[in-house]
Amino acid sequence: MEESLNFLEEIIEADLAAGKHKSILTRFPPEPNGYLHIGHAKSICLNFGLAKKYGGKTNLRFDDTNPVKEDTEYVDSIKEDIQWLGFQWANEFYASDYFEQLYDWACLLIKKSLAYVDDQTQEEIRLTRGTVTNPGKDSPFRNRSVEENLDLFARMRAGEFKDGDKVLRAKIDMAHTNMLMRDPILYRILHAHHHRTGDKWCIYPMYDYAHGQSDSIEKITHSICTLEFDVHRPLYDWFIEKLEIFPSHQYEFARLNLTYTVMSKRKLLELVKNNYVSAWDDPRMPTICGLRRRGYTPESIRLFAEKVGVAKRDNVIDLSLLEWCVREDLNKRARRYLAVLNPLKVVITNYPEGQTEELEAVNNPEDESAGKRKIPFSREIYIEHDDFMENPPKKYFRLSPGSEVRLKYAYIIKCEEVIKDALGNVTELRCTYDPETRSGGGSTKQVKGTIHWVSAAHAVPAAVRLFDRLFTEAYMDDIPEGKDYKDYLNSLSLQLSKAYLEPELANVQAGTNVQFERMGYFVPDKDSKPEKPVFNRTVTLKDTWAKMAAKQ
RNA sequence: UGACCUAUGGUGUAAUGGUAGCACUACUGAUUUUGGUUCAGUCAGUCUAGGUUCGAAUCCUGGUAGGUCAACCA
């Protein structure tokens, strides 16, 4: 059975078969102006994955041609995230490494009468560019002599002019149907400090003038980018042709869109800047570092990238696929523990006071080699508040007055009495247990429900936040207008301040992924059918654990 | 009233002129010390109208729908 190829793999295989390249070289070219998100992860997995599959290499190149937006902080985070995802670049380059070469090539274009210095204002340039349906008009400066252009361009570099006074433009065709070909700007004057070149330059190349040539300099064979750069390809090719340099080729694929998820760098930056979230790595963020804090593994993200596929049509991936990918990975690897997030006290009235026994629990039901552990059981325990309902709907399997339920790894208990406070809130349950039903004791008694619990005397209080789907749902398609967005986000965040954890969890190392036994909650069904549980959203503890340890 | 890109179940993605397949979701059943997991199954698709062909998701033409392009951003 032959594995089917995506369109990029087909292109590469054809190129390799035709002897066009001996091996392939791809690149991942982020602009260091923000943190990487799940959309970049797709691109990273593609570029590195393709190179790996065909025995090639991948460069990391920072597209740092706009100093006013870029920062070293972003460079560092990008490198960290790529490595965390499990990829290693062959070379670390910067577009700014090529500024001198790019300048020389610009002079070459001038000499070939293919570029000129334009004195028009930004406004004039915009107006004379025409529209998508109307051709543009030639600049009055379009036919300056080579000598004058060379002189002016050198003086631009020397800093003789203010920002915006002049630009260098390619001389192509002001009536071209592709707006990008209407004498695109190559260089603009920007008296700004660059995070790498400092104050050496006051003219900076534009994306179109820098990207293809950078690819060419590095001899990138397959320059893979997203669909919106499709219209840039003729320009990309134009520079390579006129400069007669290594013919890199650009290929476009559809970028990733995820339901309920904000993916624009601009909006994510807004969330951080306005303190709607704590930082770029806030677990509610769709950034790679945010996903990492939420407990996503590199493996799960790589699996996701593989599952979403690569094509040229616009797509919106269902968030449930991403969630499926973590569960798929973690179900097999992460140990499971008991933790009660929203506790309700239960006193087992017929269990001897002061008695404690150790019960055996399985560390991972899908992996026997993970072994077993002991958990303490005693007269007073906490159960999940949601696991008790005073007036249960028809198909409720858990505790309600008079009903029986199994405590995972322990006994079957029966709810005998409900205790309420003055406001009528349920504050405690009185239950009895059946000593014959100890787990593994051979009892044949069956009950419909099994719930998790922790011994009140032994439990560890958790002063941490839990990261799970509730956070995920905070990503809406658009950021709501107004200032209550922060409250909105917080209302969707699950506070774990009340939670109690099984004592063994205190020994778990920081940075370990763990899963809690059924992290479920009830949501009313849209068609107002009886409410329906949503289950096992693979709750994981990661960096947060270190914070909790520090507090104690 | 432009150019370019795209169109396959609810969502993605295969099939490259020869049986429309796979995954996620939803639903059903089996197993189950959590309703999770696992296993089995069900629902559901070629935008439209012509044309070429023995045969079209695939090639051609015309429509339609969506996307991209008019930063001195990338």
Side-chain angles (χ1 to χ4, degrees):
Chain A
M1 209 29 217
E2 284 224 354
E3 199 186 325
S4 66
L5 303 176
N6 65 46
F7 79 101
L8 291 170
E9 291 169 334
E10 280 179 13
I11 289 168
I12 291 169
E13 291 199 0
D15 286 350
L16 254 17
K20 196 167 163 188
H21 311 289
K22 280 203 277 293
S23 66
I24 67 165
L25 217 208
T26 60
R27 104 266 93 114
F28 177 63
E31 180 187 14
N33 68 344
Y35 280 63
L36 263 22
H37 55 59
I38 183 73
H40 294 109
K42 176 181 178 181
S43 174
I44 291 168
C45 292
L46 235 195
N47 276 296
F48 284 90
L50 247 18
K52 191 172 180 184
K53 176 166 182 177
Y54 294 103
K57 286 182 160 58
T58 305
N59 285 346
L60 169 61
R61 183 175 67 238
F62 289 97
D63 235 329
D64 55 350
T65 56
N66 185 3
V68 301
K69 282 185 170 182
E70 296 151 7
D71 198 278
T72 318
E73 174 198 351
Y74 300 127
V75 170
D76 296 340
S77 75
I78 287 167
K79 284 157 67 174
E80 187 188 338
D81 288 345
I82 295 171
Q83 284 174 321
W84 178 78
L85 275 176
F87 298 107
Q88 188 55 57
W89 49 88
N91 300 101
E92 176 184 336
F93 290 135
Y94 294 78
S96 55
D97 294 339
Y98 312 134
F99 280 174
E100 199 65 53
Q101 173 69 75
L102 258 13
Y103 178 85
D104 290 344
W105 278 336
C107 293
L108 181 61
L109 289 178
I110 291 173
K111 286 175 193 155
K112 288 186 171 192
S113 288
L114 292 171
Y116 62 96
V117 173
D118 195 341
D119 295 0
Q120 291 183 108
T121 63
Q122 189 166 350
E123 181 71 1
E124 285 166 340
I125 289 176
R126 188 174 64 78
L127 262 18
T128 54
R129 184 153 30 221
T131 68
V132 288
T133 49
N134 298 312
K137 282 199 282 283
D138 285 2
S139 164
F141 303 95
R142 200 170 195 262
N143 293 313
R144 291 216 249 229
S145 69
V146 168
E147 292 68 31
E148 187 184 3
N149 278 321
L150 245 18
D151 174 60
L152 253 16
F153 188 48
R155 286 162 60 193
M156 278 168 65
R157 176 180 182 171
E160 285 189 30
F161 309 109
K162 295 197 305 292
D163 289 5
D165 277 358
K166 286 177 168 43
V167 290
L168 184 72
R169 301 178 77 176
K171 193 189 288 187
I172 304 180
D173 179 3
M174 287 306 290
H176 204 286
T177 51
N178 183 339
M179 299 288 293
L180 267 323
M181 299 297 272
R182 318 240 265 229
D183 289 11
I185 291 170
L186 271 34
Y187 273 92
R188 76 282 214 188
I189 300 172
L190 230 43
H191 290 272
H193 188 82
H194 187 281
H195 69 104
R196 292 191 86 242
T197 59
D199 298 314
K200 184 179 179 192
W201 295 86
C202 62
I203 56 171
Y204 290 92
M206 299 290 289
Y207 165 85
D208 283 303
Y209 183 67
H211 201 97
Q213 287 90 313
S214 298
D215 284 342
S216 184
I217 289 169
E218 295 174 22
K219 294 192 161 46
I220 300 296
T221 57
H222 300 263
S223 178
I224 300 161
C225 62
T226 48
L227 241 36
E228 63 268 30
F229 290 99
D230 179 288
V231 288
H232 293 249
R233 181 152 32 88
L235 228 202
Y236 183 106
D237 293 339
W238 190 88
F239 287 122
I240 284 175
E241 185 202 323
K242 300 303 178 193
L243 260 12
E244 301 174 61
I245 55 180
F246 180 84
S248 293
H249 280 283
Q250 175 185 302
Y251 303 90
E252 308 87 19
F253 71 95
R255 72 185 320 145
L256 174 75
N257 294 295
L258 252 190
T259 53
Y260 314 119
T261 307
V262 174
M263 207 89 87
S264 114
K265 262 192 191 177
R266 206 206 86 231
K267 286 183 176 176
L268 294 178
L269 180 64
E270 208 173 294
L271 285 174
V272 175
K273 285 248 158 87
N274 297 335
N275 294 318
Y276 288 138
V277 294
S278 60
W280 284 97
D281 69 347
D282 187 291
R284 291 165 295 189
M285 294 283 276
T287 48
I288 293 177
C289 50
L291 290 169
R292 176 163 65 223
R293 271 191 69 188
R294 215 188 316 169
Y296 275 79
T297 57
E299 290 83 355
S300 65
I301 294 176
R302 278 187 259 134
L303 177 64
F304 177 70
E306 190 185 305
K307 289 270 171 197
V308 299
V310 191
K312 293 192 79 162
R313 77 190 81 133
D314 294 323
N315 61 81
V316 184
I317 308 288
D318 208 304
L319 189 56
S320 59
L321 181 62
L322 216 208
E323 294 178 333
W324 179 83
C325 289
V326 225
R327 273 182 274 134
E328 179 72 4
D329 184 32
L330 254 25
N331 279 342
K332 296 183 183 69
R333 304 196 308 173
R335 293 195 171 189
R336 305 212 186 157
Y337 294 95
L338 299 179
V340 174
L341 311 187
N342 185 16
L344 174 61
K345 193 174 196 176
V346 172
V347 178
I348 301 164
T349 53
N350 60 339
Y351 194 88
E353 259 179 84
Q355 180 174 317
T356 297
E357 62 186 302
E358 301 254 284
L359 300 169
E360 197 165 67
V362 175
N363 286 328
N364 184 339
E366 292 185 39
D367 177 14
E368 215 173 296
S369 69
K372 295 176 177 176
R373 67 182 187 284
K374 301 282 190 190
I375 47 178
F377 182 78
S378 62
R379 190 169 192 262
E380 296 193 357
I381 61 173
Y382 293 116
I383 65 165
E384 206 67 65
H385 220 295
D386 288 354
D387 286 344
F388 172 80
M389 278 186 96
E390 196 170 13
N391 301 300
K394 289 134 279 188
K395 286 201 160 182
Y396 190 76
F397 296 167
R398 289 164 282 160
L399 256 197
S400 57
S403 81
E404 287 184 304
V405 76
R406 174 172 283 284
L407 296 175
K408 180 89 173 173
Y409 303 128
Y411 301 93
I412 290 174
I413 58 168
K414 182 175 184 182
C415 177
E416 308 280 2
E417 189 185 350
V418 180
I419 296 174
K420 298 179 184 176
D421 64 13
L423 298 169
N425 299 315
V426 177
T427 55
E428 189 180 314
L429 301 178
R430 296 291 168 101
C431 297
T432 52
Y433 86 116
D434 180 350
E436 304 299 312
T437 58
R438 180 173 160 142
S439 187
S443 166
T444 53
K445 189 168 182 177
Q446 294 285 321
V447 284
K448 274 187 297 184
T450 301
I451 63 173
H452 53 280
W453 54 276
V454 291
S455 166
H458 305 87
V460 180
V464 292
R465 297 181 115 183
L466 246 205
F467 310 126
D468 86 318
R469 184 188 166 85
L470 290 174
F471 286 108
T472 309
E473 285 175 338
Y475 309 134
M476 303 311 287
D477 289 333
D478 270 299
I479 297 171
E481 294 297 323
K483 48 193 175 296
D484 39 7
Y485 187 54
K486 191 169 187 173
D487 294 337
Y488 170 73
L489 273 177
N490 284 335
S491 73
L492 290 168
S493 305
L494 180 61
Q495 290 287 341
L496 248 205
S497 51
K498 299 184 289 190
Y500 286 103
L501 313 175
E502 107 175 52
E504 180 70 19
L505 265 169
N507 303 323
V508 174
Q509 255 196 322
T512 309
N513 281 304
V514 303
Q515 280 184 288
F516 290 166
E517 291 289 356
R518 199 203 59 220
M519 165 61 199
Y521 55 95
F522 276 68
V523 291
D525 196 274
K526 355 169 174 59
D527 309 324
S528 66
K529 280 185 282 187
E531 41 175 28
K532 239 174 82 180
V534 173
F535 282 106
N536 206 13
R537 294 302 173 180
T538 311
V539 174
T540 62
L541 285 177
K542 230 176 149 7
D543 303 346
T544 48
W545 200 254
K547 282 187 191 166
M548 180 191 154
K551 269 187 189 167
Q552 286 178 339

